[in-house]
Every structure is written in C-alpha cells, then in structure tokens.
C-alpha cells in the first residue's frame, strides 16, 4: 500500500492533530527505509529529524523501523514507547503511557511483542517480551503483560490475568 494511502487511513481514524502528525511523519520515515541504498542514505537526515521531533520533543518513541499496521489510533499521544522490533497489526488503539517492548533476561534481550489486529490498549499498559497478543484482545489500563493473550480476551492487572466473566443473576 502506498504511503499516502496509509496516511489518509490514519487521518480518517484519528481526531487529534498530534496523532495525525506523528503517524504521517512515521509513515514517511518508515517508507524512507525502502528503495536503493543511495536513496536510503540520502533520506537519513529525514529519519534523524523524525527521531528528534517525535521522540525528543513530542515524547512518543516509535522508531521508524517499527512495523505498524493500518489505521492505528493514538489517543492522548504522550509517553508512548514501542520497541523497533515490535509488530503491531491493523486497527489497534494505543493510549498514553503504553509500553510495548522487549525484556532483558540473564540470556540477553528477548524479541519484542507481536500484536494482532484490533487490539486495544488502556492507558499505562505494558506488554513486554516475546509474547503474542491475539486479534481483538484488550489490555486494561496499567496492566503488565508478560505472557501471550489469546484472541478476544481482556486482561487486567499486574501481572495481567483474564477478566473474570460477568456474574449473572
């Protein structure tokens, strides 16, 4: 899909100007990683400016090597940290202070999470390590996820655990 089409889709699902700006700049910086070596080298200053503006000034750490799906929604974009090895599917919702990253172990760094489609993250949610978050899962606010989450499941707490089913009378 062409970069301009991805940006249009991101604009259609994001209402905040900051989210639109960050995602458009990300899409352009990400696209600058493709193509012949001379072109990629020529566009290195663009990626450096992206890093300074988005990460250092706006406080959103999404490296341009990160793989973001289509129609990502960012609510209250601040203190968002995503590891460059993370893969995030289509139609996901990210809120402020969400961290998606790898984990340091005695054996070294783990891989970053793989997030499915239509996953929603509550504010302050943390997902770390070599985990898979299934399609349609929901990660509750302030939850800490270190194990894979099946599709459609809502997890809450630290450590994250599935939300109990509603009590029926």
């Amino acid at each position: 899909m062409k970069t301009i089409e991805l940006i249009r889709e991101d604009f259609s699902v994001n209402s905040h100007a900051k989210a639109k700006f960050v995602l458009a700049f990300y899409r352009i910086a990400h696209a600058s990683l493709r193509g012949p070596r001379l072109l990629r080298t020529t566009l290195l200053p663009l990626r450096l400016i992206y890093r300074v503006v988005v990460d250092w000034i706006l406080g959103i750490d999404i490296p341009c090597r990160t793989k973001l799906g289509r129609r990502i929604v960012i609510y209250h974009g601040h203190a968002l940290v995503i590891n460059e090895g993370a893969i995030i599917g289509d139609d996901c919702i990210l809120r402020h202070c969400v961290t998606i990253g790898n984990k340091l172990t005695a054996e070294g760094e783990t891989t970053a999470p793989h997030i499915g489609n239509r996953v929603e993250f509550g504010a302050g949610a943390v997902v770390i390590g070599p985990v898979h978050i299934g399609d349609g899962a929901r990660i509750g606010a302030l939850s800490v996820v270190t194990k894979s989450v099946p599709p459609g499941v809502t997890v809450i707490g630290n450590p994250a655990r599935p939300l109990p089913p509603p009590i029926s009378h």
Side-chain angles (χ1 to χ4, degrees):
M1 177 169 262
K2 293 186 178 186
T3 302
I4 205 75
E5 293 170 16
L6 291 169
I7 292 170
R8 280 188 187 128
E9 286 184 350
D10 289 338
F11 275 38
S12 73
V13 295
N14 282 280
S15 57
H16 301 296
K18 182 177 180 182
K20 290 178 181 184
F21 173 78
V22 167
L23 288 167
F25 207 166
Y26 159 81
R27 299 288 183 197
I28 293 164
H30 185 75
S32 77
L33 295 168
R34 298 188 299 262
R37 183 180 201 145
L38 179 60
L39 179 62
R40 291 191 319 264
T41 303
T42 304
L43 293 173
L44 179 61
L46 171 84
R47 293 190 297 277
L48 292 173
I49 293 167
Y50 166 77
R51 188 69 171 183
V52 169
V53 170
V54 173
D55 187 359
W56 297 1
I57 296 172
L58 296 178
I60 297 178
D61 186 0
I62 306 175
C64 59
R65 293 191 186 285
T66 304
K67 293 183 175 121
L68 293 184
R70 298 167 55 192
R71 297 175 303 276
I72 298 296
V73 175
I74 298 176
Y75 288 126
H76 311 292
H78 181 72
L80 180 62
V81 178
I82 302 175
N83 183 280
E84 76 174 18
I87 299 170
I88 299 179
D90 299 338
D91 304 303
C92 290
I93 297 173
L94 303 166
R95 289 185 176 80
H96 59 286
C97 302
V98 167
T99 298
I100 301 170
N102 62 347
K103 202 162 56 164
L104 295 175
T105 67
E107 294 80 36
E109 290 184 23
T110 66
T111 57
H114 182 151
I115 310 299
N117 298 321
R118 300 173 318 283
V119 175
E120 183 173 350
F121 293 86
V126 175
V127 179
I128 55 172
V131 299
H132 179 81
I133 308 299
D135 292 348
R138 297 174 67 196
I139 312 300
L142 301 175
S143 296
V144 178
V145 179
T146 59
K147 295 179 180 171
S148 293
V149 176
V153 171
T154 298
V155 295
I156 58 170
N158 179 7
R161 59 202 173 282
L163 187 66
I167 298 172
S168 58
H169 296 286

